[in-house]
Amino acid sequence: MKKLINSTETLLAESLDGFAAAHADIVALGPERKFLRRRALTPGKVALVSGGGSGHEPLHSGFVGYGMLDAACPGQVFTSPTPDQIVEAAQAVANERRRSPSAAPPP
């Protein structure tokens, strides 16, 4: 099977740019393409972040969307994402859940 790859050095960046452009109504790229995130976050929802190596494509990016992941951190080809990527993605999608004053304190 043949693949259309311009360069192994730009494979991940080009894949993410194309995915973000095709689904611009749902997702946005983080700074320096460190992560992909949902455009509209659900207030009070626990954020879900995933990531992994981008073997043949940035797999987890396809799971970012409504009722799914809030962000995905794609590592380079066959490489895990860096801790900095994960922290930035988590901070970008973090939601503060506010308890009502009448809510019981946690156990």
Side-chain angles (χ1 to χ4, degrees):
M1 180 173 165
K2 298 207 179 215
K3 296 181 176 143
L4 299 174
I5 297 174
N6 294 322
S7 164
T8 56
E9 289 80 27
T10 60
L11 172 66
L12 178 59
E14 290 176 357
S15 295
L16 290 172
D17 288 343
F19 186 83
H23 303 286
D25 57 325
I26 299 172
V27 299
L29 279 173
E32 301 174 28
R33 296 182 189 98
K34 288 186 178 179
F35 59 89
L36 188 79
R37 68 179 290 268
R38 283 184 47 203
R39 284 198 176 274
L41 299 175
T42 305
K45 177 186 174 286
V46 173
L48 297 175
V49 179
S50 182
S54 297
H56 301 289
E57 70 284 319
L59 172 70
H60 297 99
S61 299
F63 294 111
V64 175
Y66 303 113
M68 298 174 22
L69 293 177
D70 293 296
C73 303
Q76 290 296 326
V77 176
F78 301 120
T79 305
S80 297
T82 65
D84 293 344
Q85 281 179 270
I86 297 166
V87 168
E88 284 189 45
Q91 289 172 340
V93 297
N95 276 315
E96 295 264 341
R97 183 157 186 198
R98 308 241 188 259
R99 281 188 306 195
S100 66
S102 62

